[in-house]
């Protein structure tokens, strides 16, 4: 996603009203990407690449290099949505390569920490472009495999609300290297109480289980996602450990919610309420 320089002072309250021009690029070809950015007078890069491993990391690093080579872009938002992964993890190492490259530039850049995406807990009627998976709570199948005690704080944000905060932040004169936004901070046990119109089958996964890369399997994840089972379980076990480490407990006192109070994000109760009648 890019933003033209002549839009820098435009207030956008509803991202659904924004039209976009799609241009195909080859992420292996820095020169051609730089030409596209220069020819279209792009001012701001908003990367939404899925950066999970070395090949996808290389694509985003190339995008940073193309941005610098193009000359006219001034700002870059890295695809580090959600939380900060440990630098010892594959995902963390992949994303860190982009940040290392950005620190070598004179670009104004940032990344967004928004906790976990609330999209995963809504019904099919909730608009989302995310592949649906169930982490900790499978609302559709009334089953939960909660990491830790369930009292650890979590932060949830719907992707469309993240987009609203991103659009609002484009008008800030300066960016911090990390910007925060959130829909709601709530524990898994509190989340479960809101979801339980009928009783759930609930299990709690202790740290010892998560450290082995094991989790309680939830029905929604069986044969319905674009990850192999072992990869998905390992990733969710890592997320579970991150819950225990407090990585999903973002500092709400530093969040953009205070800067942009007109952005009213969806709460957990709002999304769970959409299941009624479905």
């Amino acid at each position: 996603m890019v933003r033209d320089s002549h839009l820098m002072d435009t207030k956008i309250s509803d991202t659904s009203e924004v039209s976009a021009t799609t241009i195909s690029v080859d992420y292996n070809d820095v020169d051609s990407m730089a030409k596209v950015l220069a020819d279209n007078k792009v001012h701001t890069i908003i990367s939404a690449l899925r950066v999970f491993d070395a090949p996808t990391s290389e694509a985003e690093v190339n995008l940073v290099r193309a941005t610098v080579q193009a000359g006219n872009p001034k700002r870059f938002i890295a695809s580090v949505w959600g939380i900060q992964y440990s630098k010892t993890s594959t995902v963390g190492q992949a994303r860190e390569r982009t940040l290392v490259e950005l620190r070598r530039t004179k670009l104004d850049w940032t990344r967004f920490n928004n906790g976990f995406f609330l999209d995963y807990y809504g019904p099919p009627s909730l608009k989302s472009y995310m592949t649906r998976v169930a982490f900790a709570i499978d609302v559709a199948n009334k089953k939960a495999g909660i990491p830790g005690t369930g009292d650890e704080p979590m932060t949830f944000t719907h992707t469309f609300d993240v987009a609203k905060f991103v659009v609002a932040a484009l008008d800030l004169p300066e960016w911090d290297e990390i910007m925060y936004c959130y829909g709601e901070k709530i524990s898994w046990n509190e989340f479960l109480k809101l979801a339980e119109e009928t009783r759930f089958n609930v299990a709690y996964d202790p740290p010892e289980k998560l450290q082995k890369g094991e989790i309680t399997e939830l029905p929604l994840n069986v044969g319905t996602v674009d990850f192999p089972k072992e990869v998905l379980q390992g990733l969710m076990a890592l997320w579970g450990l991150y819950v225990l480490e407090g990585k999903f407990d973002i500092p709400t006192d530093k969040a953009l919610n205070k800067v942009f109070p007109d952005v009213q994000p969806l709460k957990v109760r709002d999304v769970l309420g959409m299941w009624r009648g479905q």
Side-chain angles (χ1 to χ4, degrees):
M1 182 185 296
V2 297
R3 197 180 196 213
D4 293 341
S5 57
H6 72 274
L7 291 177
M8 282 304 293
D9 295 324
T10 302
K11 298 292 184 181
I12 303 176
S13 58
D14 185 350
T15 54
S16 65
E17 297 175 358
V18 180
S19 61
T21 299
T22 302
I23 301 174
S24 297
V25 297
D26 181 356
Y27 285 96
N28 294 313
D29 190 337
V30 173
D31 291 340
S32 67
M33 279 197 293
K35 186 177 187 305
V36 168
L37 297 175
D39 289 350
N40 288 276
K41 298 181 174 59
V42 173
H43 181 281
T44 301
I45 310 295
I46 303 174
S47 176
L49 293 169
R50 179 186 282 181
V51 181
F52 273 91
D53 52 21
T56 51
S57 171
E58 183 178 0
E60 191 170 53
V61 167
N62 284 343
L63 180 57
V64 174
R65 292 170 179 168
T67 300
V68 173
Q69 185 173 316
N72 47 293
K74 305 302 179 186
R75 287 180 148 182
F76 193 106
I77 299 178
S79 187
V80 190
W81 312 96
I83 62 168
Q84 296 182 73
Y85 282 71
S86 167
K87 292 182 181 180
T88 60
S89 69
T90 301
V91 176
Q93 291 170 356
R95 293 180 171 186
E96 182 63 21
R97 293 186 191 101
T98 298
L99 304 184
V100 168
E101 192 69 26
L102 283 167
R103 292 186 181 107
R104 294 172 178 161
T105 74
K106 295 182 180 180
L107 294 169
D108 191 12
W109 62 272
T110 190
R111 72 266 206 198
F112 276 75
N113 277 194
N114 55 267
F116 202 71
F117 290 122
L118 191 51
D119 306 47
Y120 297 125
Y121 303 97
S125 59
L126 174 64
K127 188 174 182 180
S128 176
Y129 297 104
M130 305 295 290
T131 299
R132 298 301 174 96
V133 295
F135 171 49
I137 295 178
D138 183 342
V139 180
N141 295 289
K142 308 296 183 185
K143 186 174 181 179
I146 295 174
T149 66
D151 291 326
E152 294 82 5
M154 285 286 298
T155 311
F156 297 93
T157 319
H158 184 227
T159 52
F160 280 65
D161 291 328
V162 176
K164 291 175 184 177
F165 283 113
V166 170
V167 170
L170 294 177
D171 289 322
L172 292 175
E174 295 181 354
W175 285 351
D176 295 328
E177 287 193 5
I178 303 177
M179 290 198 281
Y180 302 94
C181 64
Y182 70 100
E184 185 171 8
K185 183 177 285 191
I186 187 173
S187 73
W188 282 118
N189 285 335
E190 291 169 330
F191 192 121
L192 188 60
K193 286 181 181 178
L194 292 175
E196 278 192 319
E197 286 190 352
T198 58
R199 191 168 182 81
F200 275 54
N201 179 358
V202 182
Y204 289 87
D205 294 338
E208 298 78 18
K209 182 176 182 178
L210 298 172
Q211 287 165 356
K212 295 177 183 177
E214 299 174 357
I215 59 169
T216 297
E217 190 169 46
L218 300 178
L220 183 64
N221 298 332
V222 178
T224 61
V225 295
D226 56 356
F227 288 104
K229 176 180 176 180
E230 296 76 14
V231 173
L232 183 64
Q233 287 196 344
L235 183 59
M236 288 189 172
L238 181 63
W239 290 345
L241 290 171
Y242 285 170
V243 171
L244 305 188
E245 293 174 16
K247 287 186 179 292
F248 288 98
D249 182 14
I250 73 167
T252 54
D253 59 315
K254 298 180 181 179
L256 292 174
N257 300 57
K258 290 187 176 182
V259 182
F260 302 109
D262 290 342
V263 178
Q264 293 294 309
L266 287 173
K267 308 296 184 184
V268 171
R269 187 185 299 273
D270 298 327
V271 170
L272 293 177
M274 296 177 186
W275 283 96
R276 295 190 183 97
Q278 298 201 32

